[in-house]
Structures are given as structure tokens and as C-alpha cells.
Amino acid sequence: MASVFEVLDEIRKRPGMYVGGDESQRAMQLQNIEQLLCGYSLALRHHHIQERVADFVHDFGAYLWETKGWSASCGPIAAIREAARSDEEAWELFWRLVDEFRATVDAR
């Protein structure tokens, strides 16, 4: 896979395969995505691999702060879950925000 966004595309298609659980466990799936993304960033650093978004969790959290005014001090997933009324809504909001963030990265 060439980028973190391609990894996220695969997770979106088959979340249970990559992060476990099912639709009734969206909170857990979101937490697992954040953990997977932290590991992905660590692997990039460890192997000296350059990517436009080398630390997705940090950069996505900064994006949420800049565009929404949401503190991501506890991570972007916590910020998104705080803004949503339910875990299912947080799931949908996460993917919408990932798409928005991706568009800003692609526009650079």
C-alpha cells in the first residue's frame, strides 16, 4: 500500500477484518483504528519511509483543531466521539472527516 489513505480505504471496505468487531462495536472499532494508525506511523519512522502524512493521528488531530476547534489532546477518535451523538454517528463522522482531510492533503 502506498499511503495511509490506502490503508484507511481497505479498513473502510472491511473493518472487521482489520480492526475486529462488527457494526454493534463501532466505539471499539474506532479505537482500534487509532491504535493501528499509531503503529503504522511507528513503522514508517522505524523503517525510514517517507510519506506525506507520516503521523496520521497527530496530523489528523491538528486538522480537527484547525477546522473544527476540537481538542484532540486525547486523540482524534475521542474528539470525534465527543462531537457525535452515538457511536454509529461517530463512525460515519470519522470517515467523512478522513475524506475532508485527505482532500486537503491532496491539494497541497
Side-chain angles (χ1 to χ4, degrees):
M1 292 187 208
S3 78
V4 68
F5 292 110
E6 290 179 27
V7 171
L8 287 165
D9 289 343
E10 292 301 313
I11 293 170
R12 187 185 321 211
K13 288 180 208 170
R14 296 176 192 86
M17 185 170 117
Y18 290 96
V19 295
D22 59 29
E23 296 84 19
S24 70
Q25 299 169 306
R26 291 303 196 202
M28 183 265 301
Q29 288 181 321
L30 287 167
Q31 286 303 131
N32 289 351
I33 289 171
E34 190 167 83
Q35 290 176 338
L36 184 145
L37 291 168
C38 288
Y40 183 86
S41 295
L42 179 63
L44 290 175
R45 282 192 305 275
H46 179 76
H47 294 287
H48 308 287
I49 298 169
Q50 297 297 313
E51 188 171 319
R52 289 188 306 168
V53 181
D55 189 343
F56 184 89
V57 172
H58 174 268
D59 295 350
F60 187 50
Y63 171 79
L64 295 178
W65 172 253
E66 293 165 9
T67 61
K68 308 293 183 199
W70 300 346
S71 171
S73 61
C74 293
I77 296 303
I80 290 168
R81 289 188 69 212
E82 177 77 20
R85 290 176 290 219
S86 68
D87 290 333
E88 185 60 38
E89 184 179 317
W91 179 260
E92 297 301 323
L93 181 58
F94 170 75
W95 293 111
R96 188 168 59 248
L97 292 167
V98 164
D99 291 340
E100 290 174 14
F101 178 55
R102 184 180 202 165
T104 65
V105 170
D106 288 346
R108 293 183 205 161

